[in-house]
Amino acid sequence: MDNDFGAATTIQCATCGVERVGDALPDVCPICADERQFVPPRGQEWTSPERAGANGASLEIVEFEPRVLGIRQHRCPGIGQVPILLQTDAGNVLLEAPNYFDDAVHAEISRLGGVEAIVPSHPHMYGLQSVWSRAFGGAPVFISAADEEWLGVRPENTVIWDGETEILPGVRASQPGGHFPGSNVVHWTAPDGAGVLFAGDTIGPVRDTGWVTFMRSYPNWIPLSAAVVRRIAEHVSRYEFDRLYGNFGGSVLSDASGAVRRSADRYAAWVSGVYDDLT
């Protein structure tokens, strides 16, 4: 790490990858102790980007579509999210933060115009956001007000927001909640004129093409209620979008708004007991 921007002195949870203040570590990571995540059977472990690098951690940029670049994490701490670099005419937005700092990827993003803002969708995705913010001149980090309490490190340029906000011209974020009270989605219109929704963990693409799901906890399979799922679907209906990206590399690449509506109806029916006769 030639220019580590604080990564060399950062401590992070080995399980979720979220950065912490090294001289004030809790006995257990609060994010992992919550029912939406987990502490592994071996117990709490702390690590660092430096240690992760020694163990072969790396990042890789891949193109999902023009101006939408995924950042795949290999052998990194955390749960394996795939952050997205969204390239817009007004500047680049980093959706989620990697759990590792990679000099080569930092150089490549710098070549592509840097980062104007960082938007984590919810606390599981905080990663090394303060490190990445410093790496790009103190890029503001947009934290949902309802989830501010989960910050392990407060980035120097933190923007606390609620409701709906314009991150950059043409890039709007809003908070349907669900997975976390402040869970947010980001909407953008691509150069081909199609709307694109970056849904974080609020709406998760599934293996069956054209369908999505909604969960309080993905690793622990804790569902949401029918009312909350309908609320999420109604919330995102304010946007026109044909494509949807989750935060683990999954996507719905056509009629994504229809997929959300269909999936919400199916989910709500199942958790409401409509199909109990089939069980």
Side-chain angles (χ1 to χ4, degrees):
M1 296 180 184
D2 298 328
N3 298 297
D4 60 51
F5 301 99
T9 57
T10 295
I11 301 297
Q12 60 190 142
C13 175
T15 303
C16 71
V18 173
E19 59 190 4
R20 307 292 305 186
V21 176
D23 59 358
L25 291 176
D27 292 336
V28 64
C29 170
I31 289 175
C32 291
D34 178 75
E35 69 177 4
R36 284 161 287 201
Q37 182 53 16
F38 61 92
V39 178
R42 64 182 179 272
Q44 179 64 47
E45 293 183 4
W46 302 101
T47 188
S48 67
E50 187 172 37
R51 187 181 305 170
N55 290 332
S58 65
L59 303 176
E60 175 192 11
I61 295 179
V62 296
E63 185 180 75
F64 289 155
E65 66 174 81
R67 299 198 180 191
V68 178
L69 306 180
I71 304 175
R72 297 196 183 279
Q73 307 195 72
H74 302 291
R75 300 178 64 87
C76 298
I79 56 180
Q81 69 264 30
V82 182
I84 285 176
L85 183 71
L86 174 61
Q87 300 179 281
T88 83
D89 292 340
N92 298 336
V93 180
L94 184 60
L95 305 174
E96 323 296 17
N99 296 334
Y100 179 65
F101 187 77
D102 186 306
D103 288 328
V105 167
H106 171 250
E108 178 62 11
I109 293 176
S110 297
R111 187 189 69 79
L112 295 171
V115 170
E116 296 297 322
I118 299 173
V119 187
S121 62
H122 66 285
H124 293 156
M125 302 293 110
Y126 286 172
L128 298 183
Q129 58 190 11
S130 69
V131 174
W132 284 96
S133 172
R134 285 193 294 270
F136 291 105
V141 181
F142 286 75
I143 300 295
S144 297
D147 297 336
E148 181 181 5
E149 65 183 282
W150 295 99
L151 284 171
V153 175
R154 192 179 193 87
E156 296 167 8
N157 195 0
T158 297
V159 177
I160 304 300
W161 66 286
D162 198 11
E164 187 169 12
T165 189
E166 188 171 59
I167 305 298
L168 291 177
V171 181
R172 299 199 65 82
S174 62
Q175 299 166 344
H179 183 53
F180 272 79
S183 285
N184 66 74
V185 298
V186 173
H187 181 266
W188 169 71
T189 301
D192 65 0
V196 182
L197 191 72
F198 302 95
D201 269 5
T202 301
I203 303 168
V206 297
R207 295 291 294 274
D208 192 7
T209 301
W211 294 87
V212 299
T213 194
F214 316 80
M215 298 290 280
R216 173 167 173 80
S217 170
Y218 288 87
N220 300 324
W221 297 352
I222 303 174
L224 294 168
S225 72
V228 170
V229 169
R230 290 191 181 104
R231 185 191 77 206
I232 292 169
E234 175 61 26
H235 178 103
V236 301
S237 71
R238 68 184 63 186
Y239 302 120
E240 293 184 3
F241 59 99
D242 188 54
R243 300 189 288 274
L244 179 149
Y245 290 94
N247 55 358
F248 286 87
S251 60
V252 179
L253 298 180
S254 64
D255 189 29
S257 59
V260 171
R261 290 193 303 271
R262 292 190 301 273
S263 300
D265 288 343
R266 181 176 70 174
Y267 191 113
W270 270 104
V271 299
S272 299
V274 172
Y275 299 126
D276 282 1
D277 62 303
L278 301 178
T279 66

